[in-house]
Amino acid sequence: GLKALLSVAPQFVSCPPLSPALRRALSHGLSGGLYERNAALAVAVAEAAGWPLSEAQRAEALRRAEWPGRLEYLRGVWLDCAHNPHAAEGLVRWLKRERNERPSLTVRCLFGASQDKDIEGVLRLLSPHVDELVWVSPQYMRCERAEALRGRRS
């Protein structure tokens, strides 16, 4: 169980990529390079821990996997909490694919951030792929105020 999983997880730095069938099985919100690598790592760790999962069981687990706030479709709106440049790169790859498939797509971004995040780095990556930025101030102590964010757009 969990003890076996925790005993093998630290030894993984890299792992084989997902098979094409498992890559297709990933839920939409977890598609893309970063999430595919994370899913491949989860499959490899489960295998190393001795969990006997068939390819069909692995595919079903990946199909049902959720990561709230990561390319999550909720009431007609896509949500993503890209909170650092690495996550923003993944979001940009997804936005490029969406725009390639639907060139007339309008992208509106509600942007809020914590003061301790690389706001300029995230904005530098996202701004070229967004038609409209709407600045928001989430209600928590470390939040950067919308007025301050507005002046930081790259």
Side-chain angles (χ1 to χ4, degrees), residues 3-72:
K3 189 173 183 178
L5 183 63
L6 292 175
S7 71
V8 297
Q11 66 186 308
F12 284 91
V13 178
S14 64
C15 60
L18 290 175
S19 69
L22 290 180
R23 199 167 44 251
R24 284 189 301 275
L26 272 176
S27 68
H28 186 81
L30 300 180
S31 61
L34 174 63
Y35 308 114
E36 287 177 18
R37 286 190 298 279
N38 287 344
L41 182 60
V43 167
V45 168
E47 194 172 277
W51 295 354
L53 298 173
S54 69
E55 187 80 355
Q57 288 171 313
R58 292 174 185 171
E60 180 61 18
L62 293 177
R63 212 176 344 276
R64 297 177 73 183
E66 295 179 355
W67 191 346
R70 295 291 180 203
L71 288 177
E72 179 180 9

Side-chain angles (χ1 to χ4, degrees), residues 78-98:
W78 285 100
L79 304 174
D80 193 276
C81 299
H83 64 285
N84 59 43
H86 186 68
E89 287 170 355
L91 178 55
V92 165
R93 280 191 298 276
W94 182 80
L95 284 170
K96 286 179 177 178
R97 280 196 309 271
E98 289 297 307

Side-chain angles (χ1 to χ4, degrees), residues 81-85 110-123 135-146 148-149 152:
C81 299
H83 64 285
N84 59 43
L110 273 68
F111 189 90
S114 295
Q115 295 169 346
D116 59 343
K117 298 296 179 183
D118 182 0
I119 296 169
E120 284 83 7
V122 171
L123 287 173
W135 309 102
V136 297
S137 301
Q139 300 300 306
Y140 60 96
M141 290 182 49
R142 296 178 326 181
C143 160
E144 182 71 82
R145 305 305 311 159
L149 289 170
R152 294 171 85 155

